[in-house]
């Protein structure tokens, strides 16, 4: 009887451990997208700060209804990624509504920087201090942000931060 109880307690204790190769923990989530914000003014302010500081602009196009958008926003709040962003970027979250259903908003911002179509969310555009996009080839690939690890996001943003 005691052995069975100890075995049960050991099984419960080990159930909380993550074995190598096991699924990563769920990403943190944040609700960083505001439908009522003046997105154009926020982008202009970020570009002005970037021009003065020499940092790049990290433009995150998403929505609070989107799990992947909330996951990316949450990852960007973790200490490791927040430090990277603070050191190299001016961060702007732009609410784009539901562009894939025809209920999009602020889509002119994506188009302004060369992302002609926004088929899903989130999208991530990195701009030089003078407003030139540097990652249009990967900007729309962030729709799987909830499946990415903090390390993978850090590596991608560290690479995009380099002149």
């Amino acid at each position: 009887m005691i052995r069975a109880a100890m075995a049960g307690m050991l099984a419960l204790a080990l159930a909380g451990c993550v074995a190598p190769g096991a699924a990563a923990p769920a990403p943190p989530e944040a609700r960083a997208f505001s439908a009522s914000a003046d997105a154009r003014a926020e982008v202009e302010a970020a570009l002005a700060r970037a021009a003065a500081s020499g940092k790049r602009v990290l433009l995150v196009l998403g929505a609070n209804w989107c799990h992947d958008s909330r996951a990316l926003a949450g990852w960007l709040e973790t200490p490791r990624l927040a430090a990277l962003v603070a050191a190299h970027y001016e961060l702007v979250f732009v609410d784009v509504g539901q562009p894939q259903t025809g209920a999009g908003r602020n889509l002119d911002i994506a188009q302004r920087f060369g992302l002609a179509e926004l088929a899903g969310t989130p999208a991530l555009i990195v701009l030089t201090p003078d407003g030139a996009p540097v990652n249009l080839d990967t900007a729309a690939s962030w729709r799987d942000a909830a499946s990415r690890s903090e390390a993978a996001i850090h590596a991608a943003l560290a690479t995009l931060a380099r002149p």
Side-chain angles (χ1 to χ4, degrees), residues 25-43:
E29 289 196 357
R31 295 185 177 274
F33 303 91
S34 172
S36 62
D38 184 346
R40 286 164 203 78
E42 290 182 5
V43 169

Side-chain angles (χ1 to χ4, degrees), residues 39 42-43 46-47 49 57-61 90-94:
E42 290 182 5
V43 169
L47 285 167
R49 290 190 310 271
V57 174
L58 182 59
L59 187 60
V60 182
L61 307 159
E90 297 294 339
L91 177 60
V92 181
F93 291 99
V94 175

Side-chain angles (χ1 to χ4, degrees), residues 73-154:
W75 279 125
L76 294 175
E77 291 179 355
T78 64
R80 182 176 184 213
L81 289 173
L84 174 72
V85 170
H88 299 284
Y89 294 102
E90 297 294 339
L91 177 60
V92 181
F93 291 99
V94 175
D95 186 290
V96 294
Q98 291 183 309
Q100 59 273 50
T101 67
R105 64 180 149 268
N106 298 316
L107 300 180
D108 58 315
I109 294 172
Q111 293 167 353
R112 172 183 173 186
F113 297 110
L115 195 57
E117 186 177 326
L118 198 59
T121 54
L124 188 145
I125 302 174
V126 174
L127 306 170
T128 63
D130 63 351
V134 298
N135 70 319
L136 289 178
D137 58 331
T138 63
S141 71
W142 288 85
R143 294 183 297 179
D144 67 350
S147 302
R148 297 187 187 202
S149 68
E150 181 185 36
I153 295 169
H154 187 279

Side-chain angles (χ1 to χ4, degrees), residues 5-20 22:
M6 288 180 69
M9 289 185 347
L10 180 61
L12 284 174
L14 291 176
C17 296
V18 178

